[in-house]
Amino acid sequence: MRPKQRQLKIIDMLRRTGRVNVDELTTEFNASAETIRRDLSVLAHSGKIQKVHGGALLPSNQQGEGPFQQRMAENIAAKRIIAEKASKLISAGDTLLIDTGSTTLIFAEEIAAIKDLTVITNSAEIAKIIATVENNSTVFLLGGKYNSDNRQTLGAMLIAQLEQFHVQHTVLTVGSLNAQVGAADFNAEEAIVARAMLQRAKNSILLVDSSKFNSAGSFVVGKLEKFDQLVCDMEPDHVLKMALKEAKVALI
Amino acid sequence: MRPKQRQLKIIDMLRRTGRVNVDELTTEFNASAETIRRDLSVLAHSGKIQKVHGGALLPSNQQGEGPFQQRMAENIAAKRIIAEKASKLISAGDTLLIDTGSTTLIFAEEIAAIKDLTVITNSAEIAKIIATVENNSTVFLLGGKYNSDNRQTLGAMLIAQLEQFHVQHTVLTVGSLNAQVGAADFNAEEAIVARAMLQRAKNSILLVDSSKFNSAGSFVVGKLEKFDQLVCDMEPDHVLKMALKEAKVALI
DNA sequence: ATAAAAACTGTTTAAACGGTCAATAGTTTT
DNA sequence: AAAACTATTGACCGTTTAAACAGTTTTTAT
């Protein structure tokens, strides 16, 4: 394992747990304590972390409640790759609809630096991420029944509000993607919201990591034709790839 | 657990409660009293806290980080008293409208334990507090333009949503209160939202600490007659007291 | 005034740090 | 393909830090 990789992983662990210990990391990476300390020194020097005796913490400016979903999220590396690719599709001044999800959360971090955005979302966490950065962006938080698990709002009120918007991009994540049914979720209410968002945008971007391929959620968000761009971390299999081509979905 | 981390948590606890005790902290962190005292000494030396016998307090002139945190720190003790008194007015099963403010935030913490509430608010922070506790409560988060300073939503969209509700209690805080103009805010948009909330409830509760008496905000929320109950930490002066009696506002 | 609780001080032990250096792995040059 | 070079790693070891223990002093409350 290369130092860069380790250091990225260390940051991800930190974001999840809030602290890391040197000896934890030595067993995690099968490396000596000195190597770990060297990594921590590098990260500390560039301000990414804060070194303390025995390990490291998040720097004090982002200490406290980090993106909570990220803590429980799997596959962070893959999701970050996806989010980074997707962020290239967005330019300064764009208007976006973003739904709730661990991948869209990381996506929000990636685009937070882009200027003059207008972001409309039902995720309190995403709203916070975008609005906290000084970049002249505007955030609309959609109202509705509040769900503490994901810090998102849902329900009929939200659908009504969506009708007041028409935007350039809708950015969605879903629980499953396959050639026959298209994109589908495992939660009915989230699927309804996603479907509504899909209708309010000129361009629709779907973010999925490879673990979602060919599983089958029960609540359909939309067929493949409904989407314009699919961003993922790995090549889908042949069947799905052909189906995407058929549906004129750009693969990124 | 590392010293830095403990110290950060101690400050966090202080900001929430206004005071910490050494023995509380020893059980909290499973550390000896000396260790805690050392932490307190470090924090006191850097001016973050103020040591007293048995524990520590927030320093009298708190140099806060953000405007939000700063206002939270002012008068915490008074605000907690107010919030506790006000929480007695709420029963299980009630439906409430709550606006954004540092006092209502503490109020939300106090009522979080009450069961079967329905809470409607424009504060993402209050929504989180109520929804995180397991108490069978429902939270509606009102949508609108998101303001990162206070983690609240504002704007025309929000007013429209409010019309869909009619509740038992509206709980408000304002920036100023005096006999002539009544309750007023220093921010136009917040005042508009407060005024709209006031119209959607049978009973209206106003929370103000004594520092707000007889100052004058520019944006009127409502005359004294509009309110049913006023909760504060100290007796108002005679003029205001008579005016309240005249306006049939119960003083708590 | 006196007892109890809490704070301070110095000491001890174990763990963690940081610097140097030689060995190894990966990369580039010849 | 071999050689030279660079980056990375792990071990050694004196130094620093953290935390508990014990004894003493101060503060608080009765």
Side-chain angles (χ1 to χ4, degrees):
Chain A
M1 171 139 348
R2 319 296 304 147
K4 292 261 167 56
Q5 285 176 285
R6 265 198 321 267
Q7 288 164 20
L8 284 172
K9 285 210 170 195
I10 289 172
I11 290 178
D12 272 334
M13 287 174 76
L14 250 182
R15 290 240 174 117
R16 250 176 309 173
T17 60
R19 70 151 188 279
V20 289
N21 298 336
V22 172
D23 53 356
E24 268 174 28
L25 295 171
T26 54
T27 54
E28 174 74 28
F29 295 123
N30 272 324
S32 73
E34 285 79 2
T35 304
I36 300 301
R37 275 194 217 103
R38 244 188 301 268
D39 287 337
L40 295 182
S41 296
V42 171
L43 291 170
H45 201 261
S46 67
K48 300 260 183 187
I49 66 168
Q50 185 182 2
K51 261 177 58 160
V52 298
H53 210 89
L57 304 174
L58 286 168
S60 37
N61 56 22
Q62 52 182 298
Q63 180 72 39
E65 33 177 332
F68 79 114
Q69 280 185 340
Q70 203 161 324
R71 281 178 221 151
M72 48 191 96
E74 300 298 319
N75 255 334
I76 288 187
K79 286 173 182 171
R80 196 163 287 281
I81 293 169
I82 293 168
E84 202 185 327
K85 280 195 211 170
S87 68
K88 303 252 167 70
L89 304 173
I90 311 300
S91 330
D94 282 358
T95 300
L96 310 167
L97 264 167
I98 308 180
D99 86 336
T100 311
S102 53
T103 312
T104 45
L105 198 65
I106 298 177
F107 171 72
E109 287 180 6
E110 294 288 337
I111 63 166
I114 301 175
K115 292 215 182 293
D116 302 317
L117 295 177
T118 302
V119 172
I120 304 154
T121 181
N122 66 328
S123 161
E125 201 64 21
I126 289 177
K128 188 176 129 192
I129 290 171
I130 303 286
T132 305
V133 181
E134 269 298 336
N135 54 5
N136 203 27
S137 291
T138 306
V139 179
F140 276 89
L141 181 57
L142 296 161
K145 190 160 180 298
Y146 185 83
N147 178 314
S148 67
D149 292 340
N150 297 325
R151 293 197 197 154
Q152 67 180 147
T153 53
L154 293 170
M157 245 174 68
L158 196 145
I159 308 294
Q161 286 167 57
L162 272 174
E163 287 176 9
Q164 302 181 23
F165 296 102
H166 193 269
V167 303
Q168 286 162 300
H169 307 284
T170 285
V171 182
L172 298 178
T173 11
V174 295
S176 74
L177 185 71
N178 68 52
Q180 285 79 46
V181 295
D185 256 326
F186 294 95
N187 178 300
E189 287 205 277
E190 289 182 22
I192 290 169
V193 170
R195 208 153 49 209
M197 284 186 170
L198 210 47
Q199 286 168 0
R200 312 304 311 164
K202 210 164 62 182
N203 180 44
S204 52
I205 303 171
L206 183 61
L207 314 181
V208 286
D209 66 82
S210 50
S211 68
K212 308 287 173 59
F213 290 158
N214 296 320
S215 64
S218 310
F219 304 100
V220 178
V221 174
K223 295 203 165 202
L224 295 183
E225 288 82 17
K226 293 270 188 180
F227 297 94
D228 299 301
Q229 286 151 324
L230 171 67
V231 184
C232 49
D233 55 324
M234 283 169 64
E235 293 261 309
D237 63 54
H238 198 68
V239 177
L240 185 52
K241 215 164 158 183
M242 292 311 291
L244 287 167
K245 197 168 179 183
E246 182 101 358
K248 298 202 173 87
V249 180
L251 184 62
I252 296 171
Chain B
M1 175 100 35
R2 301 288 159 213
K4 257 287 181 6
Q5 201 179 3
R6 265 198 321 267
Q7 289 162 21
L8 285 167
K9 285 208 172 195
I10 288 171
I11 292 178
D12 207 51
M13 288 173 75
L14 251 181
R15 291 243 166 93
R16 280 206 311 274
T17 62
R19 136 145 230 162
V20 289
N21 299 336
V22 172
D23 53 355
E24 269 174 27
L25 295 171
T26 54
T27 54
E28 173 76 27
F29 295 126
N30 272 324
S32 73
E34 287 95 320
T35 304
I36 300 301
R37 268 192 276 277
R38 229 190 320 268
D39 288 337
L40 294 182
S41 296
V42 170
L43 291 171
H45 200 261
S46 68
K48 303 254 185 187
I49 66 169
Q50 186 180 352
K51 267 176 46 163
V52 296
H53 206 88
L57 304 172
L58 284 168
S60 39
N61 59 339
Q62 171 82 19
Q63 72 281 16
E65 355 272 276
F68 182 73
Q69 293 286 354
Q70 192 164 357
R71 271 193 292 144
M72 270 303 292
E74 286 170 19
N75 262 330
I76 284 195
K79 284 172 183 172
R80 193 160 290 279
I81 292 168
I82 294 167
E84 202 184 325
K85 280 195 208 169
S87 69
K88 302 252 167 70
L89 303 173
I90 311 300
S91 330
D94 281 357
T95 300
L96 310 167
L97 264 167
I98 308 178
D99 88 335
T100 311
S102 54
T103 312
T104 46
L105 199 63
I106 298 177
F107 171 72
E109 286 177 7
E110 294 288 336
I111 63 165
I114 300 174
K115 290 213 183 296
D116 302 318
L117 296 176
T118 302
V119 172
I120 302 153
T121 181
N122 66 328
S123 160
E125 199 67 19
I126 289 177
K128 184 177 127 192
I129 290 170
I130 304 285
T132 307
V133 180
E134 267 299 335
N135 54 6
N136 202 29
S137 291
T138 306
V139 180
F140 276 89
L141 181 57
L142 296 162
K145 189 157 181 301
Y146 184 85
N147 179 313
S148 67
D149 291 341
N150 297 327
R151 296 193 200 151
Q152 68 181 150
T153 54
L154 292 168
M157 244 173 71
L158 197 146
I159 309 294
Q161 286 166 58
L162 272 173
E163 285 176 11
Q164 301 180 22
F165 296 102
H166 194 269
V167 305
Q168 286 162 302
H169 306 285
T170 284
V171 183
L172 298 180
T173 12
V174 294
S176 75
L177 184 71
N178 68 51
Q180 285 78 46
V181 296
D185 255 325
F186 295 95
N187 177 299
E189 288 205 277
E190 289 183 20
I192 291 169
V193 170
R195 209 153 50 209
M197 284 186 169
L198 210 46
Q199 286 168 359
R200 313 307 308 168
K202 210 163 63 185
N203 181 44
S204 51
I205 303 171
L206 183 61
L207 314 181
V208 285
D209 65 83
S210 49
S211 68
K212 310 286 173 61
F213 290 157
N214 297 319
S215 63
S218 312
F219 304 99
V220 178
V221 173
K223 296 203 165 200
L224 295 181
E225 288 83 17
K226 294 269 189 181
F227 297 94
D228 299 300
Q229 287 151 325
L230 170 67
V231 185
C232 49
D233 56 323
M234 284 170 64
E235 292 263 308
D237 64 56
H238 198 69
V239 177
L240 185 52
K241 215 164 157 183
M242 292 313 291
L244 287 166
K245 198 169 180 183
E246 182 101 358
K248 297 204 174 86
V249 180
L251 184 62
I252 295 171

